[in-house]
Amino acid sequence: MDFQLVYPIGLEQELKAGRAVLIDIRDRADFRKDHWPGAVNYSYDEIEKGHVRLPKNRKLVLYCEHGGGSMQLARSLGRQGYQVATVVGGYEAMKKLK
């Protein structure tokens, strides 16, 4: 596997442990409505098309609405040499911890 899985319950620990960047890959409208504190927003399409320069020296932790899109993107970025993880269950699972 070219990426890691992070469960919502361990998200905060994961972020603190490795100076990770939390990236919300949903569209801007969804991000504006609600997002995890400290997350930055780069949509799936922006990242996939190469419109965003992502750091290779930090771990990237991705999330989407339910987890499928971020898993797909994490797999792709992992193959490109990024240190990447995806949040299992996406933002829907994360909201239950708020």
Side-chain angles (χ1 to χ4, degrees):
M1 188 179 311
D2 297 319
F3 62 95
Q4 294 178 315
L5 299 176
V6 174
Y7 290 88
I9 194 83
L11 179 60
E12 288 301 319
Q13 182 178 354
E14 183 72 28
L15 295 174
K16 289 176 186 173
R19 291 184 4 144
V21 180
L22 182 61
I23 304 173
D24 184 324
I25 67 165
R26 301 174 302 153
D27 64 39
R28 297 221 187 280
D30 287 336
F31 181 79
R32 277 188 222 115
K33 284 180 197 171
D34 193 23
H35 59 273
W36 195 260
V40 295
N41 179 230
Y42 302 125
S43 73
Y44 185 104
D45 290 338
E46 287 176 309
I47 295 171
E48 179 119 301
K49 292 176 182 174
H51 296 164
V52 177
R53 182 170 252 206
L54 299 169
K56 283 204 171 182
N57 63 340
R58 293 179 69 188
K59 185 176 202 172
L60 310 175
V61 179
L62 311 177
Y63 73 89
C64 61
E65 194 66 34
H66 299 285
S70 60
M71 185 175 290
Q72 215 171 9
L73 188 56
R75 185 175 290 119
S76 172
L77 291 173
R79 288 185 189 131
Q80 295 173 47
Y82 288 92
Q83 184 182 0
V84 64
T86 181
V87 179
V88 175
Y91 194 57
E92 283 300 312
M94 293 163 70
K95 287 191 300 189
K96 294 174 183 174
L97 298 178
K98 275 188 165 182

